[in-house]
Amino acid sequence: MSDSLFHDLPAMEPGWVWLCGAGPGDPGLLTLHAVNALRQADVIVYDALVDDRVLSWANPQAEKIYAGKRGGKPSAKQRDISLRLVSLAREGRRVLRLKGGDPFVFGRGGEEAQSLVQHGIPIRIIPGISAGIGGLAYAGVPVTHRDVNQSVTFVTGHDQSGATPSTLDWEGIARGSQVIVIYMGMKHIARISAALIAGGRAVEEPVAVVTSAATEHQQVLETTLGRVAEDIAESGLTPPAIICVGRAVLMRQVLDWQAMAAGAVARDLDPLGRGRPAEAG
C-alpha cells in the first residue's frame, strides 16, 4: 500500500495506546486508520477473533501479544489485560490494542479505555466494523430494510458471569424491536428463543445464524425462532456466531452475494412479497 495514503494520518506517539477495531474477519474491512496503526505499533495486543492476515500487515519489528478471551476456554483475565496495556505504555512503547469487530460493541473496549485514562495513559479510539452489521452483510442479511424495520436491537447472549443476561427485558425486546441481532448467543439460544416466543414473537419468524462471519470459514444457517436451537445442535455449528431474528433474514434469498458470485442464482427475487420492483416506492 502506497505510503502517500498515510501522509495525513496521525502518528502514534510513544506511551500511547490505540484501541482499534479489526472488523469481523476479512482484512479488507480494516480502516486506513487501523492499517496506519499496525504499521507504527511497537507492540500489538490482539484478541482471538483477529485474523492472522491482519497481523501480517503489522510493523515487522512489532511484538505480538495474544490476549484472546473465548467462552469455555482458558483466557486472560480482563484486569490483567488492562494492566498489561498500562505497563507497556509506561515503558514508552507505541501500543496497539487490536480487537475483532468494533472495540465499543460488546468488546470491553470501554472498560479498557477507562482503565487506561484512570492510570494517566493517553488513548486514541479507532472504530471498526461490528460483526452484527458487517458479518450479517457478508451473509446477505441487511440489518435494516425499509419494508421490514425502522428499529434494530443489538444484545449480548451472555453477561459477565457467562449466563443469559438477567437484566435484559426479553419480553420488551420481543415486543419492541422488529429485528434483533444477538452477539455471543449460541450457548444460550434455547433459553433466548423461548423468552422471545414467550414475549410474543412467532415461532415461524425467520432466523439466520452466521458463524465465523466474513472469513473463509463462514457458514450460514437459515431457520426459524421455533427451531433455531434444534437446528444449531443438528448442524454442528460452533461459535463465534451472530444470530439475527426478524423478517430482514428473508432478504438473504435475493442478497446472498457470495453464492451468486460463485455462480448461483437468487432463490427469490421478491422474498418480502412486495409485488413490485425494489426501486418502486
Side-chain angles (χ1 to χ4, degrees):
M1 195 173 292
S2 172
D3 286 341
S4 63
L5 291 174
F6 297 92
H7 285 168
D8 296 326
L9 296 180
M12 182 183 286
E13 300 295 339
W16 280 64
V17 176
W18 288 13
L19 290 95
C20 177
D26 186 340
L29 298 179
L30 287 172
T31 64
L32 284 176
H33 276 306
V35 177
N36 180 46
L38 283 162
R39 289 160 55 101
Q40 296 185 72
D42 298 317
V43 56
I44 301 168
V45 182
Y46 66 98
D47 278 352
L49 299 182
V50 174
D51 192 288
D52 287 342
R53 292 171 296 172
V54 170
L55 295 174
S56 72
W57 289 0
N59 167 13
Q61 285 73 49
E63 179 184 2
K64 301 179 182 68
I65 299 173
Y66 177 75
K69 298 177 74 66
R70 296 293 299 275
K73 298 182 180 180
S75 302
K77 294 181 179 179
Q78 186 59 52
R79 179 179 183 275
D80 293 339
I81 295 172
S82 295
L83 293 181
R84 183 73 180 276
L85 295 173
V86 171
S87 176
L88 291 168
R90 285 179 173 168
E91 292 173 6
R93 304 175 78 180
R94 299 172 178 86
V95 184
L96 175 60
R97 176 65 170 117
L98 193 60
K99 291 175 168 288
D102 182 281
F104 279 9
V105 181
F106 301 123
R108 306 193 187 193
E111 299 170 43
E112 293 179 9
Q114 182 181 11
S115 181
L116 289 162
V117 173
Q118 287 176 341
H119 284 83
I121 305 300
I123 64 170
R124 183 183 185 94
I125 308 299
I126 301 174
I129 297 174
S130 176
I133 297 174
L136 288 175
Y138 261 51
V141 178
V143 293
T144 67
H145 188 286
R146 67 176 182 169
D147 291 317
V148 172
N149 62 314
Q150 291 73 50
S151 67
V152 57
T153 297
F154 298 94
V155 301
T156 178
H158 66 75
D159 58 19
Q160 291 177 330
S161 70
T164 307
S166 58
T167 56
L168 287 179
D169 180 359
W170 290 105
E171 183 177 349
I173 292 170
R175 290 196 318 268
S177 184
Q178 295 150 308
V179 171
I180 305 165
V181 177
I182 306 166
Y183 290 70
M184 300 169 286
M186 186 176 282
K187 180 179 179 181
H188 300 303
I189 191 57
R191 193 172 304 168
I192 292 169
S193 59
L196 292 174
I197 292 170
R201 302 301 277 247
V203 294
E204 298 87 5
E205 182 150 24
V207 174
V209 181
V210 185
T211 64
S212 300
T215 74
E216 60 183 4
H217 304 296
Q218 175 179 296
Q219 293 181 274
V220 183
L221 170 68
E222 294 178 53
T223 180
T224 63
L225 198 56
R227 287 193 52 85
V228 60
E230 180 180 352
D231 285 350
I232 286 175
E234 292 179 355
S235 71
L237 293 176
T238 58
I242 287 289
I243 301 172
C244 183
V245 179
R247 292 184 67 242
V249 169
L250 296 175
M251 291 298 294
R252 186 168 193 267
Q253 297 175 34
V254 69
L255 298 181
D256 186 2
W257 58 274
Q258 293 192 69
M260 290 187 286
V265 297
R267 287 174 281 156
D268 187 340
L269 295 178
D270 187 19
L272 299 178
R274 297 176 78 242
R276 59 189 187 278
E279 67 271 14

